[in-house]
Amino acid sequence: MASLSGVAALSQLKMGSSQRRSGVAAHCTLRFKKAEHAHCLVACPSSTSQRIQLSGSSYLSGTSIRLHVRRASAKRAGVNIRAGWNDFAWSEVKISEKSNNAGMSNLTIDVGEEIVKGYTKPGQFVQVRLSETGKAAFLAIASAPGATKSTLELLVKPVDGATAGDLCALEKGASVEVSPVMGKGFDLSSVPDAKTILIFATGSGISPIKALVEASAANGGLADSAADVRLYFGAQTEGTMAFTDKFDAWKASGVTVVPVLSQGDNKKYVQDVFIEEQGGPIVSAPAETAVVLCGQKEMAEAVKAMCAEAGIPDANILTNF
């Protein structure tokens, strides 16, 4: 994963009243593996744990982060910063629409324009929880970027004893808490020369794929793409296959939709159907082929192995997490 290194000036350090002392370094070195993670070394007056406000850094500006400080010497301490999944402001929102979709819940949540502005690429997600003390569910967004001004669509699979199950039990009008939009999404720009785009999805993994095939090219999607786009979508049965009412529209936009059922007399898996079609793990131009994965871990591993055999570069395999 790519890293970004740089030196950022901290123009302001807001500390607790008991820790307002001089001697804190004005500069630190930052290394990022993800937007949510950073490591730096600063000089601190003593061993402590504080919340500070980082300003002056375009990458982390305005982000409150818990610092766990270990004293290195009388004059210098090492500080490890990890901007975790909860270092953001939660927003209370309402479920504006709810419907059943192949045994799962289709939820539309009214999150407001500011949160929607942060949704820029198919494959991104939000965290949703029922209360301040509740555990969050990570849910990929099903609506396309740019599709609405203030709402997001989610597909939630009911899981007993989990937050997802509790969300599915809620009705229209119920309140939940939601995070800002997160994640890197599916970055199709990393494979700009792709003439073939193979999409493999299973179960509720179709949620961000819906966003991908419905979003315009300007919003990172595949709507009316000139590429050969093929979607291999697996579910246990026809009754558990979500968004079947969208298939005709997807086909009309240029996406070949191949439904695959893993139960029944003719059960198969998405990677097996592709291999059968091609007569083996074969693509005509591996370097010009992009592969998008979303769904079960076993499926993703099997498809990656197939791609390696076909000669598709690892860099051409896209996931949203």
Side-chain angles (χ1 to χ4, degrees):
M1 189 174 293
S3 295
L4 171 68
S5 297
V7 177
L10 305 185
S11 61
Q12 185 180 14
L13 288 173
K14 295 181 180 178
M15 306 182 72
S17 59
S18 63
Q19 296 297 329
R20 289 196 180 103
R21 306 179 186 179
S22 60
V24 179
H27 295 78
C28 67
T29 300
L30 302 175
R31 295 186 184 88
F32 300 96
K33 288 187 176 180
K34 291 184 178 180
E36 298 88 356
H37 299 90
H39 296 278
C40 74
L41 186 67
V42 301
C44 292
S46 64
S47 177
T48 185
S49 178
Q50 289 291 329
R51 290 191 68 83
I52 66 170
Q53 188 79 15
L54 298 182
S55 302
S57 164
S58 61
Y59 210 77
L60 288 175
S61 180
T63 302
S64 294
I65 300 172
R66 173 71 67 177
L67 298 184
H68 299 285
V69 183
R70 62 181 186 280
R71 186 173 179 84
S73 67
K75 296 182 179 180
R76 192 170 180 82
V79 182
N80 185 41
I81 296 178
R82 180 180 178 87
W85 291 118
N86 290 316
D87 293 319
F88 53 79
W90 290 87
S91 300
E92 184 174 339
V93 303
K94 288 188 179 297
I95 298 173
S96 57
E97 298 291 339
K98 179 185 178 182
S99 61
N100 179 67
N101 195 329
M104 293 176 275
S105 290
N106 233 148
L107 304 180
T108 299
I109 53 175
D110 193 349
V111 298
E113 293 186 14
E114 285 305 309
I115 289 180
V116 170
K117 285 179 182 178
Y119 181 33
T120 59
K121 197 171 295 183
Q124 290 182 294
F125 63 92
V126 289
Q127 294 186 58
V128 182
R129 66 185 186 183
L130 273 67
S131 66
E132 183 176 352
T133 58
K135 186 176 181 180
F138 290 61
L139 301 172
I141 301 168
S143 47
T148 66
K149 288 186 177 181
S150 62
T151 62
L152 297 174
E153 179 187 358
L154 306 173
L155 180 67
V156 187
K157 181 179 179 179
V159 180
D160 291 339
T163 300
D166 295 335
L167 286 172
C168 290
L170 297 178
E171 297 298 333
K172 176 181 175 180
S175 294
V176 295
E177 294 187 356
V178 66
S179 74
V181 176
M182 297 178 161
K184 61 187 178 69
F186 299 117
D187 187 9
L188 291 174
S189 65
S190 65
V191 196
D193 300 324
K195 293 181 173 57
T196 299
I197 300 174
L198 305 174
I199 306 172
F200 297 90
T202 56
S204 60
I206 194 63
S207 180
I209 300 305
K210 174 182 177 292
L212 180 66
V213 300
E214 294 180 353
S216 66
N219 287 311
L222 293 170
D224 300 314
S225 172
D228 173 16
V229 182
R230 284 176 265 168
L231 166 60
Y232 297 85
F233 176 28
Q236 291 181 341
T237 65
E238 289 183 2
T240 59
M241 182 168 279
F243 298 125
T244 54
D245 59 323
K246 304 290 185 182
F247 287 1
D248 287 344
W250 296 351
K251 292 175 183 177
S253 71
V255 178
T256 299
V257 181
V258 183
V260 181
L261 303 180
S262 62
Q263 290 185 2
D265 295 336
N266 193 31
K267 64 179 182 180
K268 294 182 179 180
Y269 299 102
V270 289
Q271 66 274 15
D272 299 329
V273 171
F274 173 78
I275 290 172
E276 287 179 7
E277 288 182 350
Q278 301 299 115
I282 303 167
V283 294
S284 58
E288 297 176 347
T289 300
V291 177
V292 180
L293 301 178
C294 195
Q296 295 173 329
K297 180 180 178 181
E298 294 78 8
M299 178 275 290
E301 290 177 347
V303 172
K304 287 179 180 179
M306 180 192 73
C307 291
E309 191 172 351
I312 299 172
D314 288 345
N316 289 21
I317 301 175
L318 308 178
T319 62
N320 63 327
F321 282 95

